[in-house]
Amino acid sequence: MLQLETESLSHRMSETTNTAVMVIGGAEDKVHGRLILSTFFSRAGGTDARIAIVPSASREPSVIGERYTTIFEEMGAKAIEVLDVRDRDHAEDEDWLQFVDDCTGVFLTGGDQLRLCGLLVDTPLMERIRQRAQLGEITLAGTSAGAAVMGHHMIAGGGSGESPNRSLVDLTAGLNIIPDIIVDQHFHNRNRMARLMSAIASYPDRLGIGIDEDTCALFEANNTFQALGKGTITVIDAKDVSHTNQPDAGTSDPLSIHNLRVHILCHGDRYDYDRRLILSQRSHDGEHSRMRD
Amino acid sequence: MLQLETESLSHRMSETTNTAVMVIGGAEDKVHGRLILSTFFSRAGGTDARIAIVPSASREPSVIGERYTTIFEEMGAKAIEVLDVRDRDHAEDEDWLQFVDDCTGVFLTGGDQLRLCGLLVDTPLMERIRQRAQLGEITLAGTSAGAAVMGHHMIAGGGSGESPNRSLVDLTAGLNIIPDIIVDQHFHNRNRMARLMSAIASYPDRLGIGIDEDTCALFEANNTFQALGKGTITVIDAKDVSHTNQPDAGTSDPLSIHNLRVHILCHGDRYDYDRRLILSQRSHDGEHSRMRD
């Protein structure tokens, strides 16, 4: 079923669609260049954009909702609605469902990813957002907690400053927008390599994607994403792993993982997460070139 | 010349020698199991051990020298001498040179690796220690700063919490015991993945070895090391790297590095750093098995 959803995302999004799923590592520039937020605005239709802001991850939803409203107003969005879901019943609100049916972009703010999932998972509102995003009908962006929820598996929390080990990461169900990936955010900023590696050791068929602050993995049609922004995206690919030890879940015994493939991607790099290969990247002098895998 | 030194380490150390070069990630257990320090003691000859302690990395050399003296006395070393080099002239002291000629083990303490190198590099004392270690005549151990100095290139310092970039790491000359490696210590504990990756991006022919606290890479004959202790050793192998961008040194432009091979090794894993492959590991149930690369 997850596979079907993946295929629907890849096959049913038209080659020419301008929509995307934007997975943002948190702390995106909101003041100066606003590269990532401007890209979301543009991919959502620019001055024709009808944008739904979902601030439900935050414990101050009205404050953060207002903040993003101001930004997209300044950019010139045609319509903006804050879907301030504070109770699962709110996620059945007919006016909000109507807005989602007509919107061109949805933005999930930061906060607590467990709170966001608890309020939205399997609700009519979230199901419509997920389906429209997977069909390529809208551009869906999530930052920080809003990024963490994108996979079928979600990192709910965990530790840092320890050797990779099973107890370092708490995994639960995400919102399943892009089932095949496990996302971590504020990545190098908050020392999260060990916890993402620990997550991938438990689910080696998934692709680990660690996104730095003010950086975005922009997912488009055909199972590709490109790196956008000031930092890096760390791709952890366990496809070639030849050995992983299997201490009991929850123990802090250190992990042993052999033959991980790791890519550090920066602005302009593009990756095919279905075929697990890098398609091209912009070199420091701005040239493009096709790379061998 | 570095190559010759590498060969001398690998070819001239006899298969049967019990000596080793022990690269310790810092904060090794000094109180309870003392696994790493006991291994050093044993590899240095046990109750026949004549141990030189070099505390010169520390700003409190007498305190730290005393601490390790007590530990090795408790273990029953035959002779212990603290080579408290505080001035490069001290590194020509005839009594100390004589002790080094007759010793079976040398222990480099933690502190500041720049201070350690500044006091010892190219001195008669350090040259004898290096030559005897590379000939397999003694067991040489270094912890924290004492581990950082082991390669030809040394990480003198750097930042953390940023995306991998050239300005994140300060590289200088180490003591060149094992030329081919670039060591980082307190590795996952202090969020150093990005800086070691940045170092390897600058010197992709070197092997990055990130060692966690209370963990040791124990280098033996034939260019192999085994992981020992409570944490993990992260091996960063750029052999298959297909692309690295080259922003100017010192800039904070994020790096792009494609197709790094990364291994997380835990206690019992063994790695051939000449052929760049994992030889075997102890699985969680204690079995040994030969792994494919």
Side-chain angles (χ1 to χ4, degrees), chain B residues 23 73 85 190-191 213 223 235 262 268 282:
Chain B
V23 189
E73 274 174 356
V85 175
R190 297 189 186 174
N191 191 12
E213 294 177 352
N223 295 321
V235 175
V262 175
R282 181 173 296 122

Side-chain angles (χ1 to χ4, degrees), chain B residues 24-278:
Chain B
I24 307 165
E28 71 281 357
D29 175 4
K30 299 176 185 64
V31 180
H32 303 101
R34 288 177 169 175
L35 171 67
I36 292 169
L37 293 176
S38 299
T39 302
F40 168 75
F41 174 71
S42 160
R43 292 299 187 112
T47 51
D48 292 327
R50 297 173 51 81
I51 297 173
I53 298 166
V54 180
S56 307
S58 173
R59 297 209 170 277
E60 291 184 317
S62 46
V63 173
I64 198 164
E66 187 57 43
R67 187 169 190 191
Y68 282 102
T69 297
T70 304
I71 290 170
F72 297 131
E73 274 174 356
E74 288 173 5
M75 292 181 177
K78 176 176 278 180
I80 302 171
E81 182 87 24
V82 177
L83 311 186
D84 189 355
V85 175
R86 303 189 185 196
D87 180 307
R88 285 180 63 87
D89 295 342
H90 296 166
E92 298 175 13
D93 180 284
E94 277 308 324
D95 295 342
W96 286 349
L97 288 170
Q98 187 59 52
F99 190 86
V100 166
D101 284 338
D102 301 338
C103 77
T104 60
V106 174
F107 193 95
L108 309 177
T109 73
D112 175 351
Q113 54 264 47
L114 278 175
R115 176 181 168 83
L116 181 60
C117 283
L119 286 169
L120 286 179
V121 70
D122 296 332
T123 60
L125 190 72
M126 193 59 229
E127 278 308 290
R128 291 198 199 181
I129 292 171
R130 185 174 63 77
Q131 286 162 19
R132 295 201 66 205
Q134 291 180 331
L135 293 171
E137 295 173 358
I138 61 171
T139 289
L140 172 64
T143 186
S144 194
V149 299
M150 291 292 185
H152 171 67
H153 294 98
M154 174 177 87
I155 295 178
S160 70
E162 294 176 38
S163 305
N165 71 85
R166 288 280 195 283
S167 68
L168 197 58
V169 62
D170 303 322
L171 285 161
T172 179
L175 293 181
N176 205 25
I177 309 297
I178 305 171
D180 291 345
I181 62 174
I182 298 179
V183 173
D184 209 346
Q185 60 285 344
H186 304 282
F187 191 63
H188 286 294
N189 315 83
R190 297 189 186 174
N191 191 12
R192 288 176 167 177
M193 181 73 82
R195 86 176 191 182
L196 184 55
M197 284 181 164
S198 302
I200 291 302
S202 295
Y203 297 99
D205 58 317
R206 304 302 185 181
L207 188 72
I209 297 184
I211 308 174
D212 295 342
E213 294 177 352
D214 199 16
T215 308
C216 171
L218 189 143
F219 287 79
E220 298 181 288
N222 304 331
N223 295 321
T224 70
F225 71 83
Q226 62 175 295
L228 201 68
K230 292 224 177 82
T232 62
I233 296 175
T234 302
V235 175
I236 300 178
D237 177 2
K239 181 184 62 180
D240 300 333
V241 160
S242 55
H243 166 78
T244 308
N245 63 345
Q246 298 294 337
D248 299 336
T251 71
S252 61
D253 297 343
L255 285 171
S256 175
I257 316 172
H258 301 171
N259 292 297
L260 282 168
R261 182 174 299 199
V262 175
H263 310 291
I264 306 295
L265 307 180
C266 73
H267 186 80
D269 284 338
R270 181 179 290 275
Y271 185 79
D272 182 325
Y273 65 94
D274 186 30
R275 291 186 293 157
R276 301 280 181 104
L277 57 85
I278 293 157

Side-chain angles (χ1 to χ4, degrees), chain A residues 163 212 256-257 259 263-264 269, chain B residues 163 212 256-257 259 264 269:
Chain A
S163 306
D212 295 341
S256 175
I257 317 172
N259 292 296
H263 309 291
I264 305 294
D269 284 338
Chain B
S163 305
D212 295 342
S256 175
I257 316 172
N259 292 297
I264 306 295
D269 284 338

Side-chain angles (χ1 to χ4, degrees), chain A residues 157-163 165 167-169 184 187 189-195, chain B residues 188-191:
Chain A
S160 69
E162 294 176 38
S163 306
N165 71 85
S167 67
L168 197 58
V169 62
D184 209 346
F187 191 63
N189 315 84
R190 296 189 187 174
N191 191 12
R192 289 176 166 177
M193 181 73 81
R195 86 177 192 182
Chain B
H188 286 294
N189 315 83
R190 297 189 186 174
N191 191 12

Side-chain angles (χ1 to χ4, degrees), chain A residues 209-254:
Chain A
I209 297 183
I211 308 174
D212 295 341
E213 294 178 352
D214 199 16
T215 307
C216 171
L218 189 144
F219 288 78
E220 298 181 288
N222 303 331
N223 295 320
T224 69
F225 72 82
Q226 63 174 295
L228 202 68
K230 291 223 177 81
T232 62
I233 296 174
T234 302
V235 175
I236 300 178
D237 177 3
K239 181 184 62 180
D240 299 332
V241 161
S242 55
H243 165 79
T244 308
N245 64 344
Q246 297 293 338
D248 299 336
T251 70
S252 60
D253 296 344

